Structure formats: structure tokens, C-alpha cells
């Protein structure tokens, strides 16, 4: 590994190492936030709440594509980081090539499936008659660009494993800037509405994919698309996906829970869907920042675990606990204070905006504590406990949230839907902390030797087989 990229892992200044990993990740997260919000913000400028609701209804489809990307990138980042910690560059190259080719194949498959089943998907997503046409156009175009959306998001994460935080950030930034430039042109100037928003999104992702491809060709340490590496052990992609499953499950179930919420909201009208969508986008600011802190530092956790350095691993965990706690409180306070101005970016109707602000106030109850949830899942992934991390992710967005949505809506009506998110969040945070503490106690008290490559590979495969059985 190149000396410059190696320093961030080997440095004894843990605060500096964590910040070098986290700051680029946070910038990337902010770029992603702007990217995710851009379509709804510019569509909101049309003053048509039906089109705003259409973007919300289709967002679970975007979540499906992101889930596939995280299925690959989550595991790939962990394993490549551990390989580099154990000085096994060849194995890291094999994993990298597997990730790339799997992403390409799954990108085309997911896009084709979304287009083929677009009509039943729209019904399931809760599209009402007044937004169905807008939603279909938006969804079909995003599905056509699925390979690029998947590759861009996967590569942006995996590049962190070899210390290329700056390059990963630049790719995200490039795609976002292009999207933001094209959005007002296509949506407002050319009057294309949500169709223009989807086209701008795909073009931005194509540009980012090209940039990442050039990086791999000229500067990459282990990242590659050489087929012969992928064919060394294709079955190993199961180990990669097993470790990436927690993030993928969380993202997928988040989309599904939003679909269930939209189905329940449909009886209250498209204005309710739009108000709920705007509040959810604002709440995403806090969620994504806390997720970015933990995901940004995950390669550092994986590297030190792979290197058997328990002391540094403990130091990184303490720093992340401090960061997630303080940032969670600060961002929540800022969002509460600025909620009127932020909501106004998405909604022009004062009555709909007022509903959205009241929903957001409820969501803020649990938001400051979500950092503990993300820290728990990322720590479990770093130590190879994929199934535990997957269970926690499924618990938050599936086992807890889904039944609570229907139960609370039945009891409390409209606002019971968002109250369900709060209760599910607290439950997931508590269980995540319990699992994290138990896993930490299982790590040997002294620095252990994880550099035995053959044993580690066997362990990966054994855990995957156990996960699938």
C-alpha cells in the first residue's frame, strides 16, 4: 500500500486519524444530502405538491438501488481494509474485482426488474391517481440509469478502504454539482418537472462513474476491474455480501417502511404524503451525518481489528462515541431552530408546510441518539459479526417499525405514523448498544494476531455459510 495512504491507518494520533477518515466522509454525506434533496427542492419550486409527492413515492426504488450498492460496498470496504491491515494485497485485489463486476451485473438486473414490474410497483408504493403519471416517469428513468447509480455509490464507499477519501469525495461532488446545475434547467426552464429531475440524476451519476473509472486506471492501490482476479474465487462474493448485508437491509427496509407509510398516508391525500416527505428529508440531515461519522471511520475499525490492535480499536471507539453524541445534539438543535426555513425549501403551501413542521418536531425526539445505533452496526461489521449487525438493522426498520406503523396509525391516526419511527429508533438504539458491548467483551484482552491470512479467509467463508444456513 502506498505510504501516503498507509499513514492514516498507522498513525498513533487517533484523533487525527479518525478526523482524516470522518471529515471527507461527512463532506461526502453533505454532498449526498444535497444530491438527495435537490430533486425535491427544485420540484417543490413548481408549487405542485403532486410532483413533490411523486418524488417521495418513488424514493423507495432509489433505496433498492442503494441497498444493492451497500450490499457490495459494505462488505467490500470491511474485507479490503482488513486485508490491507493483514498485508494481503492480492486478496484485496481479488475482492475489489469481484465487487466491481458484481455491481455491473446487478445494476442491469435491478434496472430491468424495476422497468418490467413498474405498474405493480407503483401500486405497492402507494401512488394515488393524481401522482401516478409523474411517479412512473420518474421511476422508469431512474431504473434506466440503475447501473450508473449503483456503481457510483458502491465505488464512492469502497475507495475509502484503500485510503482514497479525497478521490471518493471528488467523485460524489462532481455528480452532485452536475445534478444541481441540470435540475433547474430541466425542471423549471424546460418545464420537464420530475422527468427532468430523473434525467439530471442519471447524468450526474454517469459523470461520477467515469471519474471513478479513471481513478482506478491511474491511481488505485488495489481497486481494479481485472476479470482474472474476480475468477480466482467467485464464490467469495457471498462473504462480501454477508458483511454488507446490515447496511443493505437497513437501506432496503427503510424504503419499504416508507412505502408502507405512504400507503397509510394515501387515505389522507397527496398533501399529507408531501408533508411527510419533506419532514423525512429534513430529518435525514441528522441521520445521514451520524451515519457518515460511523461509516467514515469503519475502515479504521476494520484495519485495527484485522491488525490485532485492540488498544487502537478501543481508542477509535471512544472517539466515535464522543463525536456521535456531540454532533447528534448539535445538529438536532440546529434543525429544530431552522425548521421553518428548511421546510420552506420543499413546500410552498403554508398549510402543508405547517403539517410538515409538526411531523418534524416528533421525529426530533429520537434523532440525537441514532449515532449509537450506527456505531453499533458498523462495529459489528468491522469485527465480522455480519448476522448480528443485520439483525439489528432489520429490527429497526422491519421487525419493530413495520407493525408499529399500522398499530400506531390505527390508534393515533396521522401522527401515529411518525411516532412509530421514534419508538422503533429507541428500541434499535438500546439493542444495538447491548450487542456492541457483548461483542467487545468477546475480543481478546491483549492484542491478538489476525494476520494469519488462511485462517481469516476460512473464518469469513464459515460465517457466510452459517449466515445462509
Amino acid at each position: 500500500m502506498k505510504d501516503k495512504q498507509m499513514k492514516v491507518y498507522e498513525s498513533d494520533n487517533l484523533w487525527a486519524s479518525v478526523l482524516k477518515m470522518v471529515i471527507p466522509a461527512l463532506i461526502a454525506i453533505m454532498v449526498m444530502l444535497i444530491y438527495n434533496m435537490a430533486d425535491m427542492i427544485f420540484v417543490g419550486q413548481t408549487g405542485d405538491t403532486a410532483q413533490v409527492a411523486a418524488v417521495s413515492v418513488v424514493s423507495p426504488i432509489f433505496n433498492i438501488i442503494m441497498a444493492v450498492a451497500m450490499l457490495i460496498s459494505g462488505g467490500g470496504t470491511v474485507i479490503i481494509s482488513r486485508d490491507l491491515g493483514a498485508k494481503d494485497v492480492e486478496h484485496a485485489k481479488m475482492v475489489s474485482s469481484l465487487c466491481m463486476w458484481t455491481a455491473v451485473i446487478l445494476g442491469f438486473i435491478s434496472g430491468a426488474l424495476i422497468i418490467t414490474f413498474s405498474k405493480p410497483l407503483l401500486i405497492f408504493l402507494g401512488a394515488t391517481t393524481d401522482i401516478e403519471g409523474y411517479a412512473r416517469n420518474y421511476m422508469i428513468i431512474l431504473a434506466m440509469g440503475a447501473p450508473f447509480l449503483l456503481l457510483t455509490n458502491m465505488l464512492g464507499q469502497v475507495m475509502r478502504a484503500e485510503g482514497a477519501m479525497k478521490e471518493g469525495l471528488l467523485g460524489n461532488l462532481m455528480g452532485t454539482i452536475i445534478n444541481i446545475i441540470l435540475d433547474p434547467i430541466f425542471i423549471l426552464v424546460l418545464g420537464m418537472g420530475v422527468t427532468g429531475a430523473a434525467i439530471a440524476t442519471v447524468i450526474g451519476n454517469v459523470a461520477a462513474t467515469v471519474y471513478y473509472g479513471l481513478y482506478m486506471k491511474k491511481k488505485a492501490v488495489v481497486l481494479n476491474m481485472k476479470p482474472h482476479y474476480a475468477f480466482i474465487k467467485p464464490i467469495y462474493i457471498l462473504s462480501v455480501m454477508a458483511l454488507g448485508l446490515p447496511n443493505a437491509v437497513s437501506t432496503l427496509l427503510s424504503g419499504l417502511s416508507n412505502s408502507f407509510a405512504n400507503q397509510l398516508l394515501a387515505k389522507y391525500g397527496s398533501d399529507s404524503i408531501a408533508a411527510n416527505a419533506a419532514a423525512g428529508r429534513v430529518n435525514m440531515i441528522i441521520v445521514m451525518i451520524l451515519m457518515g461519522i460511523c461509516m467514515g471511520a469503519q475502515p479504521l475499525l476494520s484495519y485495527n481489528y484485522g491488525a490485532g490492535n485492540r488498544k487502537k480499536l478501543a481508542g477509535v471507539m471512544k472517539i466515535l462515541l464522543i463525536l456521535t453524541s456531540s454532533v447528534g445534539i448539535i445538529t438536532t438543535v440546529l434543525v429544530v431552530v431552522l425548521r421553518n426555513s428548511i421546510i420552506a425549501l420543499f413546500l410552498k403551501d403554508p398549510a402543508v408546510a405547517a403539517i410538515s413542521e409538526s411531523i418534524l418536531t416528533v421525529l426530533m425526539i429520537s434523532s440525537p441518539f441514532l449515532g449509537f445505533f450506527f456505531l453499533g452496526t458498523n462495529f459489528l461489521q468491522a469485527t465480522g459479526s455480519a448476522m448480528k449487525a443485520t439483525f439489528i438493522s432489520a429490527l429497526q426498520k422491519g421487525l419493530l417499525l413495520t407493525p408499529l406503523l399500522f398499530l400506531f396509525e390505527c390508534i393515533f391516526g396521522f401522527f401515529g405514523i411518525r411516532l412509530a419511527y421514534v419508538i422503533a429508533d429507541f428500541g434499535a438504539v438500546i439493542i444495538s448498544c447491548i450487542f456492541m458491548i457483548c461483542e467487545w467483551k468477546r475480543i481478546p484482552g491483549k492484542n491478538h494476531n489476525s494476520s494469519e491470512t488462511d485462517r481469516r479467509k476460512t473464518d469469513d467463508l464459515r460465517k457466510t455459510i452459517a449466515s445462509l444456513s
Side-chain angles (χ1 to χ4, degrees), residues 216-228:
M216 281 196 297
K217 184 177 180 180
K218 297 180 179 180
K219 298 181 180 180
V221 177
V222 296
L223 298 185
N224 70 95
M225 286 192 71
K226 296 177 181 178
H228 72 272

Side-chain angles (χ1 to χ4, degrees), residues 305 308 310 439-449:
Y305 180 79
R310 191 179 194 271
E439 184 66 22
W440 178 260
K441 290 181 178 180
R442 292 181 58 192
I443 299 176
K446 296 181 179 180
N447 286 353
H448 60 287
N449 182 11

Side-chain angles (χ1 to χ4, degrees), residues 411-424:
I411 297 173
F412 302 108
F414 178 76
F415 287 106
I417 295 172
R418 277 308 175 183
L419 185 59
Y421 279 84
V422 174
I423 302 302

Side-chain angles (χ1 to χ4, degrees), residues 136-174:
R136 178 180 291 107
N137 292 338
Y138 190 66
M139 183 173 70
I140 294 298
I141 293 171
L142 286 181
M144 292 173 65
F148 297 104
L149 270 68
L150 199 155
L151 273 171
T152 297
N153 286 276
M154 188 275 293
L155 283 167
Q157 295 297 320
V158 173
M159 286 172 69
R160 295 183 295 112
E162 65 172 37
M165 288 78 72
K166 183 179 72 174
E167 288 79 3
L169 172 60
L170 288 175
N172 273 318
L173 189 61
M174 177 186 296

Side-chain angles (χ1 to χ4, degrees), residues 152-373:
T152 297
N153 286 276
M154 188 275 293
L155 283 167
Q157 295 297 320
V158 173
M159 286 172 69
R160 295 183 295 112
E162 65 172 37
M165 288 78 72
K166 183 179 72 174
E167 288 79 3
L169 172 60
L170 288 175
N172 273 318
L173 189 61
M174 177 186 296
T176 301
I177 290 175
I178 291 174
N179 186 26
I180 291 174
I181 292 173
L182 294 179
D183 260 347
I185 296 174
F186 289 162
I187 296 171
L188 302 175
V189 177
L190 298 180
M192 298 174 70
V194 292
T195 301
I199 294 172
T201 296
V202 172
I203 293 174
N205 278 272
V206 170
T209 302
V210 171
Y211 171 80
Y212 288 139
L214 292 174
Y215 166 82
M216 281 196 297
K217 184 177 180 180
K218 297 180 179 180
K219 298 181 180 180
V221 177
V222 296
L223 298 185
N224 70 95
M225 286 192 71
K226 296 177 181 178
H228 72 272
Y229 278 116
F231 282 111
I232 291 175
K233 192 179 290 185
I235 192 66
Y236 197 80
I237 194 63
L238 295 178
S239 290
V240 174
M241 289 182 171
L243 287 173
L245 200 58
N247 288 341
V249 167
S250 178
T251 302
L252 181 61
L253 290 179
S254 177
L256 288 175
S257 62
N258 285 337
S259 297
F260 293 136
N262 284 333
Q263 290 175 24
L264 294 170
L265 288 166
K267 63 183 179 182
Y268 298 100
S270 59
D271 284 354
S272 296
I273 296 176
N276 190 63
R281 284 293 197 277
V282 178
N283 183 60
M284 190 190 298
I285 295 172
I286 301 171
V287 174
M288 293 291 282
I289 289 175
L290 294 175
M291 182 189 296
I293 292 173
C294 298
M295 289 184 67
Q298 190 194 62
L300 202 57
L301 294 172
S302 300
Y303 183 91
N304 285 303
Y305 180 79
N309 197 327
R310 191 179 194 271
K311 182 179 179 181
K312 280 191 175 181
L313 186 61
V316 173
M317 288 292 291
K318 290 177 182 177
I319 291 171
L320 291 176
L321 284 169
I322 294 171
L323 284 176
T324 52
S325 301
S326 57
V327 172
I329 294 171
I330 293 170
T331 52
T332 299
V333 171
L334 288 174
V335 167
V336 170
V337 172
L338 301 173
R339 65 186 184 280
N340 295 345
S341 301
I342 301 174
I343 290 293
L345 293 173
F346 302 99
L347 301 168
K348 296 301 179 185
D349 188 320
V352 180
I355 296 172
S356 186
E357 288 173 24
S358 61
I359 295 173
L360 181 61
T361 302
V362 175
L363 292 178
M364 291 298 98
I365 297 172
S366 61
S367 294
F369 306 98
L370 287 174
F372 298 109
F373 167 76

